[in-house]
Amino acid sequence: MFVFTTTERADLHTAALYAFGEANERLETALTFDDVHARLRSVGWFEPVSDEELDATLSRLRQWGHVDVVQNHAAHYTTAEDYERKNLQYLLTKRGEAAFEGVQHALSVLASSGALQTAVLDAIAERLGELHSLMGAGVASNRRIYTTLMELEGHLDALRTNTKQFNSELQRLLRADQPDLATFQEVKRATVGYLQEFVTNLDQRRHTIREAVALVEDQGIDALHQRAMAGAELPKLTSEDPEAAWLRHRAAKWAGLRSWFRPVDGTAPRVDELQDIARRAIVQLLRALERMSDVRRRSTSAAADFRTLAKWFAASRSEPEAHQLFNAAFGMWPARHAHLAHEDAELISSAESWAQAPPVPISPLLRTSGRIERIARTGKVRDVEEVRRLRRERARQERAELEAAWRQLATPGPVRLSCIGRLDHASFHRLLELIGRALIARQDSAGVRRAMTSDGRVEITLRSPHDAATATLRTPHGVFTGPDFVVDIRTTGARSQAEEAR
Amino acid sequence: MSNLNNQLVKQETAEVARGIRLLLAKPLLTASTDEDAFDLVRRRRDPITQWFDYYCGWRAFVEPRLGYARLSKVTDRPDSSRPVRRLRSSRAPFDRRRYTLLCVAAAELLTTPVTTIGLLADRMVQATAAEPELPTFDPTRRDERSAYVDSLKWLERCGAIRPVDGSTESYLDHADAKVLYHVDATLLVRLLAAPVPPSRLAEPELTALLAESRYGDAADPDAAVSENQRNLWLRHSVMRRLIDDPVVYRAELTPAQLGYLASPTGRRIITRGIVQAGCVLEERSDGYLVVDPDAIATDTKFPDDGSHPKVSALLLLDRLNETGDWLPVGDLALVAAELLDRFRSWGKAYRSDGGAQRLAQDAVDILCAFGLAEQRADGATRSLPAAARYAVERIQIDEPGPR
């Protein structure tokens, strides 16, 4: 329906439609081509329009269904040209009317500003009261009932649209970042005053209206509507019955009235919401005002410092500049240093330049593989006291075992190996070790080999047997067989004891 | 002196040195994020605060019971290569929006001891709407919520707000998330370190913000200031740069500062201060450099294998050292492309279109951040003197003789 506003010649199309609209208001329903041309000027179109252009415009409007064409045979024509120009008459279709109205409405919404009018509330209460008294009067008052009802509905509509607009403007105002501080403050102050005025007597007015609604309803809404319809004297233009639709409309409007002031289902009346919104807006506006005057006062508190900084950050031209500002204001940057140093820095003279001085050692791995050797964290230092104690303990034990072994092995004099017979495993090991030591020693003239343990405490003399006898020694782990040497094992300490004993 | 006393003194020296460097790396050290470090600074707070006061003129506050230590750093040359980083996955630097929201949030938090994430957002919406110079905060947009969450996470890490119930991240997904915060107002105030309160200045002017009245006009060699003031300024200005920046070239210092470093007294004081901090002063004919062998007092290390750009930076530096002259952008990208060929295992991040250029640029950024290279506006890069520290070591290899 509004396609004419979106094409490239939207301005001309709209102007043409306006021309029709204007004519309609003067009750001229049909316009000829020349009429349209002439009227364009009266609706504010001053550019020259060629016949072709206007023709195209009219045919487009026709195409969209905004304009109808009828032929006028009744006029008096003198020339063929005259006939061609005046024969066709254009008139607005219902669709065209709606489109024109729509555009006008859109423009009026853009131009208008909402308001909360106490006068409207008063008017609603008055009309309701009037209806109440008229209902009591005779049939003659039907017309009055009709007009009063229409007025009531008109006021209700006004209340609704005004409130809607006002609320959206209010929200815009709360959000707005107005460039001009002074007017902004002015506007907010004025708005607060306005809202306070409105809220002050709202309760009382609401109460009056509620009472009035109740009074009217007591007399019967249906009856009211029937009498209003009688007063309306509806024409019957189409085949449909207009009365049913009319009554439906009235019922809907009445329900709207109730939802505003006296909802049926017990929900909060919308007028209460209105009050809430107004109260909240007052608080918010006052807070914004307080904040603005706060800013004006320029207190040198920390909060003001932060606010100033915020403004500076917002105004800074680049990121590096912002970083600098932050570091300057907050002093929060970390230090930055090299961590590689020469092992002995004193070897290099301070008079040398960096280029002359040797470079610091860098892990060669970093250049070749992009990694540095990771040195694992140093382990915890163990408590060595315990280890020492354990070691001492073990050493003592080993010593004791050794002593026991030597004692076991010590022979009273030269004996055959076979005489030893049975041994425990540890002593057997010592014995083998001793024999091994003796065997690698040189044989003296008497054919005796001598050897000592490394600590010099045990001495062995060993003589090979003259016979080929074998000795068999048993240990818990197995049996040893070997040549039956003649051995004499003495502990040096034990020898003296043995000699003494001898 | 007995052996035990020797040991105790040695331990104290080591701990003070460590504490100084810990604070240098993290000017706000909280017990909740780094308990051991805070504990050390708390135990050695007197020598540490004295060190900062004497050598750098920086104030360090240690609050044993409140659980934080704060070093208020001031400099006349704020660095843009050490930005605040997001604490969520990407670790990208903060942008202007995040900084802005951080400040707005801090201002709003100061007014209340307890708040929730939603209430704070509401207040911020009102605050930004009332300020014509601030873009209005819009928590219905996801990118705005993300910036908001990032700035809150940063405050949370600082300990300025403490979530009692819920987690800040949940706000990302839905704006009606419930997170309850306790606000630490004193810590919030401590976050500001600029010597001049910003609200006293009419316009954003860094030099005015950083003007320190205690030195007078000592920075101006012709100004008439007392000997004390000048000495104080020399000591502090020289030490601040040495202890905070990766390299200080002679060319960047004023004649007065160079003179101080050359004088026996100045030299002795500076060297002693750096040794007390556990660092080594490397002095060359072209500049000065403080080495922290334990890499405590640094936000990042070089050379290091921490990331692909870092490895590339070292290899790129080899090329720059070889050339010794400006290397145009194209050549840098070629080196990076070679590296991508050589290290097949490197991830996808630099494999896409223009990856070599990005790798080269990231590597150059690292070199510039460490004062080892400089980049012209057209992207050409050359090495600076200190780069020679990391040059390839020439190893003498004996010619294999005939056997």
Side-chain angles (χ1 to χ4, degrees), chain A residues 408-428:
Chain A
Q408 207 175 352
L409 284 177
T411 51
V415 294
R416 296 289 281 232
L417 211 50
S418 51
C419 299
I420 295 174
R422 242 192 129 72
L423 277 176
D424 67 55
H425 198 71
S427 308
F428 173 67

Side-chain angles (χ1 to χ4, degrees), chain B residues 98-168:
Chain B
R98 283 176 169 76
Y99 284 131
T100 311
L101 289 181
L102 174 68
C103 292
V104 177
E108 292 306 317
L109 283 168
L110 274 175
T111 54
T112 160
V114 176
T115 186
T116 70
I117 197 160
L119 286 176
L120 180 63
D122 284 349
R123 295 178 61 104
M124 285 172 66
V125 171
Q126 287 169 6
T128 46
E131 289 279 3
E133 288 144 83
L134 289 179
T136 306
F137 175 51
D138 181 2
T140 56
R141 280 169 42 192
R142 196 185 154 83
D143 57 334
E144 288 270 280
R145 287 208 303 276
S146 156
Y148 176 54
V149 165
D150 277 330
S151 44
L152 286 187
K153 290 286 287 177
W154 189 82
L155 287 171
E156 206 178 304
R157 166 67 70 87
C158 286
I161 54 174
R162 191 161 50 83
V164 186
D165 177 40
S167 91
T168 311

Side-chain angles (χ1 to χ4, degrees), chain A residues 305 327 330 333 337 367, chain B residues 70 79 199 243-244 318 342:
Chain A
D305 288 341
N327 281 337
F330 286 73
W333 70 93
H337 291 297
R367 282 199 172 89
Chain B
R70 167 83 169 116
D79 187 357
S199 55
I243 206 67
D244 220 28
D318 291 347
R342 213 173 107 196

Side-chain angles (χ1 to χ4, degrees), chain B residues 36-220:
Chain B
D36 292 347
F38 173 72
D39 196 48
L40 184 126
V41 172
R42 181 186 58 74
R43 271 187 284 122
R44 303 291 181 198
R45 61 181 178 276
D46 286 344
I48 290 176
T49 42
Q50 275 161 21
W51 188 91
F52 280 116
D53 181 50
Y54 180 78
Y55 288 107
C56 301
W58 284 340
R59 295 215 291 159
F61 309 90
V62 182
E63 302 285 357
R65 247 163 275 151
L66 300 178
Y68 69 85
R70 167 83 169 116
L71 172 66
S72 282
K73 283 189 176 182
V74 184
T75 176
D76 51 348
R77 300 164 35 108
D79 187 357
S80 61
S81 78
R82 287 174 256 183
V84 175
R85 291 183 180 276
R86 298 178 204 173
L87 295 166
R88 292 186 296 131
S89 55
S90 66
R91 308 242 344 118
F94 265 36
D95 53 10
R96 278 166 280 176
R97 188 64 182 148
R98 283 176 169 76
Y99 284 131
T100 311
L101 289 181
L102 174 68
C103 292
V104 177
E108 292 306 317
L109 283 168
L110 274 175
T111 54
T112 160
V114 176
T115 186
T116 70
I117 197 160
L119 286 176
L120 180 63
D122 284 349
R123 295 178 61 104
M124 285 172 66
V125 171
Q126 287 169 6
T128 46
E131 289 279 3
E133 288 144 83
L134 289 179
T136 306
F137 175 51
D138 181 2
T140 56
R141 280 169 42 192
R142 196 185 154 83
D143 57 334
E144 288 270 280
R145 287 208 303 276
S146 156
Y148 176 54
V149 165
D150 277 330
S151 44
L152 286 187
K153 290 286 287 177
W154 189 82
L155 287 171
E156 206 178 304
R157 166 67 70 87
C158 286
I161 54 174
R162 191 161 50 83
V164 186
D165 177 40
S167 91
T168 311
E169 273 100 345
S170 59
Y171 192 76
L172 269 184
D173 297 323
H174 38 95
D176 54 354
K178 298 276 174 272
V179 188
L180 182 67
Y181 292 113
H182 277 223
V183 182
D184 184 343
T186 53
L187 184 52
L188 264 175
V189 174
R190 285 266 160 86
L191 288 181
L192 288 172
V196 178
S199 55
R200 257 193 237 161
L201 298 172
E203 53 190 65
E205 180 57 57
L206 279 188
T207 34
L209 185 67
L210 295 166
E212 284 170 279
S213 54
R214 63 197 289 200
Y215 306 127
D217 292 327
D220 177 8

Side-chain angles (χ1 to χ4, degrees), chain A residues 291 305 316-317 319 323 326-327 329-330 333-338 340 351-354 359-360 367 372 374, chain B residues 24-25 70 73 79 82 84 94-96 99 193 199 243-244 282 285 292 299 305 318 342 369 389-390:
Chain A
R291 191 182 297 282
D305 288 341
S316 60
R317 284 182 294 274
E319 304 294 335
H323 296 324
F326 182 84
N327 281 337
F330 286 73
W333 70 93
R336 181 173 289 158
H337 291 297
L340 295 179
E352 281 183 35
S353 70
W354 267 303
V360 290
R367 282 199 172 89
I372 294 181
R374 292 264 168 252
Chain B
L24 276 173
R70 167 83 169 116
K73 283 189 176 182
D79 187 357
R82 287 174 256 183
V84 175
F94 265 36
D95 53 10
R96 278 166 280 176
Y99 284 131
S199 55
I243 206 67
D244 220 28
E282 188 168 295
S285 61
D292 174 14
D299 58 338
D305 60 353
D318 291 347
R342 213 173 107 196
R389 289 188 90 226
Y390 305 111

